[in-house]
Every structure is written in C-alpha cells, then in structure tokens.
Amino acid sequence: MSSENITSVARESRKHTAPRDFQAQANIGSFARYRKLYAESVNAPEKFWAEQAAEHLLWRSMWKKVLQWKAPHAKWFVGGKLNVAENCLDRHLGTPRENKAAIVFEGEPGDQRTLTYKQLHQEVCRCANALESLGLRKGDRVAIYMPMVPEAAVAMLACARIGAVHTVVFGGFSSEAIKDRINDCQAKAVITADGGWRRGKIVELKANVDRALEATPSVEHVIVLERTKNPVSMQTGRDVWWHDVVSRASHRHKAKAFDAETPLFILYTSGSTGKPKGVLHTSGGYLLGTTMTAKYVFDLKETDTYWCTADVGWITGHSYVVYGILSNGATSVVYEGAPNHPEPDRFWSIIDRHAVTIFYTAPTAIRAFMRWGDAYPKKHDLSSLRLLGSVGEPINPEAWMWYFKTIGGGRCPIVDTWWQTETGAIMISPLPGAIPQKPGSATLPFFGVVPKVVDDQGKEVPKNSGGKLVITRPWPAMLRTLWGDDDRYTRQYWSDYPGIYFTGDGCRRDSDSYFWIVGRIDDVLNVSGHRIGTAEVESALVSHPSVAEAAAVGRPDELKGQALVVFVTLKNGVETSEALKETLRQHVAREIGALARPDSIRFAAALPKTRSGKIMRRLLKEIAAGGAVKGDTTTLEDFSVVASLQSEG
Ligand code: 7RM
C-alpha cells in the first residue's frame, strides 16, 4: 500500500521524565549520555560494536571482522567464536551470581520452584547430554512445544549449548501448525510435555504432537516432560521421558565454541498470506543485541527481579525471558498460566509475593486489566515495582496512563519497546533514566539503530507526517534470512527500498523526532483519500469510558474507497445500544475529525487475536466485507471468536 500522506492525528503531548532517584541509579542516567553513546554508535559503528561485544559477551576466539555487509546479507563478528549457553550460564558460575535465582517459577496450580544459576546450568548440561546421546548434533533442528515451565528454557539453552537449532512452537498452536513448522525445517526431534496448565485445564501437548507426527517423517525422537501426570501414549523407539533421559544424564557438559554466525533458532511468524515465515537468528549478534537492550532498556541491576509475561513461543520470550536476561545474570520470573486464574488478580499477586521490580507485558493485557477493574491491583502491594514495559502493539495513551498510575503508582517509568521477531532485539524505546516518555510513543532508537520514516520513493517525510518505517543500516541482532526461502527474505524486507530494511509498519515522527508507530501498513485505512492508522481510531475509541477494546478495519465502499468499520468490546457492565453506537461515532469524530467517523460500529464479546495478543485485522476485514474467513488461521487464539462474529452477521 502507498504511504502518501498517512493522516496521523494522534497528538499526545504529555512528557514524563523519570524521578530523580531513578535517574541517579540508572545505567544510562541522562539524555546527554544517551546522545553521546548514540552518536558514537552511528558515527563509528564497527568500533562501537567491537567495544560492546568485548564488554558484554564471553568470546572463545575474537572476530576478524566486525561486519561483513553485502545487502541484504549481514555477517557479524566474522571468525569470532562463542557458546550462547556458556554466556547465559557458565560465565556466572564462580561469581556471586552462582547461587542467585536465575529462574523463579510459579505454575498455574500454585507450585513454585527456584533454579539458581548453578542449578539451571546443571539442568542444561543434563539436557545437552541427553540430546547428544540421542544423536543430535550441531545444525540439527529441534522443535520445542512446551508449557511455560523452566524446562522450556532448559531445552532452548541445551540446543544452543550443542549448536542445535531450536524452533519453539507456541503451546497454544494446533497439531496442524506443529506439523507445518516441523516439516518446513525438517526437525529431527521434538521436546514436549504431557500437558500444561491453562485456566485450570490441561492443554494436551503430547496428544497434539502425536497427531502432527503422523505426517512429519523427519522426526526421530520425542522427549516428554511429565508436568501434569495427564496420561499420554508413548511410542516405543521414538518417545522417551525427560525424567529417564535428561534427569539421569550427567550434569557436566563441556560447551564447544561455535562460530558467531551459527544458527541459534528459527522462529515462525505469520505472514499476511499462507505460509508462515521461518525467521532465522544466529548466535553472536543476536546475543549481543538482546544482552545490551536488556541491560539498558530494562535498566537491569544485580538486585532486580524481572518478569516478562510473554510465552517462550514468541520472540519476546526468546529475547527477554531467556537469552538477554540470563546473559545479564538477572533473575527471570516464569509463570505458566492465565492472568485471570484463579482470579483476575493473579499477576498482581505474583508481583506482590515475589517482589517483582521490573514488569514487561503487552497492551492487550493492560486493556484487559483495565476492563477487569482497579479493585484487583488495589488488593496487592505493588511497591516493589520500579520499571514497567510494554510490547506488541502501539499502547494507547489511555492504557499508558492507567498502567502508569494504577500499576506503577506514578513512580515507575514505562518503556514502550518497538521491535519485531525479525529485529531480534528492541529497536526503538525509551532508556528509562535518559529519555523522557510520551504516552503512546516508543520515543527514540537504541544504539546503532538508524530508523527513518519515508515515502514511497524512500524520501524522508517531513515532521508530523506519516510514512513507512525503515531501518537504514544492518544491526547485530537482525534476522539473517527466512529458513529455506532466501528469495522471500529479499522480497519481503529489502525490495521496497534496496539495501534498506522495510519493517511493514506505518509511523510518524513528532517535533522532538520521537517515533509514533501507527500499526502495520496493510492496516492503514484509506477513507475518502485520507489515510488513517488503525491505531489512532482505536485509541480514540478506547479513550471513551464505555469501551474496553476496539479494532478498526476498512470495508470496500464505492463512494469512499473504504468505509470505516469498527469492532468494539465494552467494559464490564456496559449495555450495548443504538444510542451508544451514535455516541461512539461522535466521540471519534470529536477526537480525530469527521473524516474518521466510523460508518459502522459492531459490538463484539471478544476480538480475534493471535496468541501474543495482536488483533487479527485481516480476519475482521473479511468479516466486515461480509465474506467467509479465508487464509491462515493457525495463529488465531480462539476460533470461536470468529465464528460468533460471523454468525452475528
Ligand atoms: C516484539 C513483537 C512485530 C509488530 C511490529 C509492530 C507491532 C510491536 C510495538 C508495536 C507499536 C510497539 N514482535 N509492535 N511492538 N507497535 N509499538 N511498542 O511484537 O514480530 O510479534 O510483532 O508488532 O507492528 O511490526 S512481532
């Protein structure tokens, strides 16, 4: 879609600077310090990255060249050797971190477990030995289909330790989705569990794997963790129990050094059409990017208890539950279940009981908490928190302010982190002690990241007008290719503007040069020649006291090009009515302008979302146009949501 004059109308001007005591202790404590480091990172990038790589990672051999760039292919730290698992574990042993909690786990039923760095290291060594004893070697692909339990991280790190390439398939995906992903990367082994807990029920992971494996000839071994004691069938010769092969293996394992460009993992992400894309990340650059961003964006300190609520099946779980956090020697909280089990205060109860200091979640969750009401957070002591984070979508200013006041008690900075599966690490975000925040803006780029907002010709657009977000230089944690489809890699990301990475997102910069992401460019609406970001219409709607969540889509319209259809879920206790529809229409017109007045408002009990909470507007578009839902729905969280929207016609 063309980017000409995306009408960007959000005008949020509130600016929040971190409290003085936060700044005083911050890893980057002033705007001047950020500017200085940023300038160094873009003026002499190879020098900057060489220094950072030496400071932040443990290398077995030094690289010969920092960057080899032949667009669109990058190699970072060429000739350097390291072991990612050793960086996340072994290097903390023999230091005061050895007996520090690496993972603090809470299962949904309430069971708790803490693994120190020493214990986690032993588990990973056992798992690495088990994988090797099954014949897995460097370069082999291993699918991981697990609940959010420490063993999911153990399995990932064990793969990294032996140079195998993991592909984590989110535990909520169907057997169809597992099958496609296994076949695409020809995985030799699967690591799964007899089940996982979700809202008091067992998710039948092993049964899903069994169904998938009817059509995956590459799989030779399945390792099954006993989590729920749910009966499962075990196929002799193929399936083995974790407690037989892992727990009994030696807790000593010598980590080999691997080339910096050794593939670390493939993570499938849904494309707008059919086949999911297997995003490939490699070792040295990815680990440097996640380690540095974790340290500076989350302002990690030795004493922090950090909790990112993302599942490991999502890039956020890879980068900011496992790799970037453990590499810093920090404590990572892992929670297995739903935010509203047994009650909608579960997250606040976890923060209270574990004295969480840094909390990172998604706007979709924040809006759900708002909808459930303030009484739940108010029941708990959240005073341990010192920093909040947001990821996954633009956060609407309404939700930002609620998060800031109700969860952060008005004292915690919020880092609104923009990045993608493809970017591997956070790209645009406040550094909390240095960059003043504006609710709804991801603010400014991280070190070495050079984003621009451009028109279709690649020319930078003026301040305050909309365009496409691109990244003009390679960065260490960038994806290297799409697994098995390098042409698609080039076409998808590097063809709109040769040599420049196209993110697929629409954006504008304000007069402070802050970045405001307005959503995926395919989601930009064109109403009577005006281009409007879905995020802006949705943000206007949720600023109304009756509205919990909203999704805006275009429906083909002879007169206007596109008519604006919005799907709205209401706050608890609010009744639907024609009068409310009219009120909301007027509300949007007042907030944005008459051009954005919705043509049609549809109340819905729920919106179709991916597992990571992103609204699937593609499906809503099809529903709005009156057609059937086609294309890939494997990433959809709950198909019944679509069915009920369709039946409401
Ligand atoms: C980390 C992640 C990537 C897409 C991205 C955006 C949207 C993510 C923000 C955001 C506005 C943010 N990876 N997105 N974070 N939009 N502000 N802070 O989400 O691959 O699953 O999705 O998500 O559209 O392109 S992802």
Side-chain angles (χ1 to χ4, degrees), residues 99-108 110-117 119-120 148-151 153 303-309 321 325-326 329-337 346 349-357:
N99 294 313
K100 172 179 175 176
I103 292 179
V104 172
F105 170 68
E106 185 164 313
E108 198 188 68
D111 52 319
Q112 297 191 17
R113 208 160 21 123
T114 296
L115 282 100
T116 63
Y117 271 94
Q119 291 168 327
L120 183 61
M148 264 307 271
V149 294
E151 286 80 1
T303 48
D304 277 312
T305 298
Y306 161 96
W307 182 22
C308 166
T309 65
V321 174
I325 304 305
L326 299 176
T331 298
S332 192
V333 174
V334 170
Y335 169 58
E336 178 185 31
R346 185 64 183 263
S349 156
I350 291 174
I351 291 173
D352 188 349
R353 284 179 291 106
H354 297 283
V356 170
T357 58

Side-chain angles (χ1 to χ4, degrees), residues 274-285:
K275 198 167 160 264
K277 300 176 284 197
V279 170
L280 179 73
H281 282 287
T282 59
S283 301

Side-chain angles (χ1 to χ4, degrees), residues 314 391-394 416-421 505 517 520 614:
W314 190 26
V391 59
E393 297 170 80
D416 175 357
T417 61
W418 178 88
W419 59 297
Q420 308 177 298
T421 304
D505 282 350
I517 315 295
R520 306 293 300 167
K614 293 188 212 304

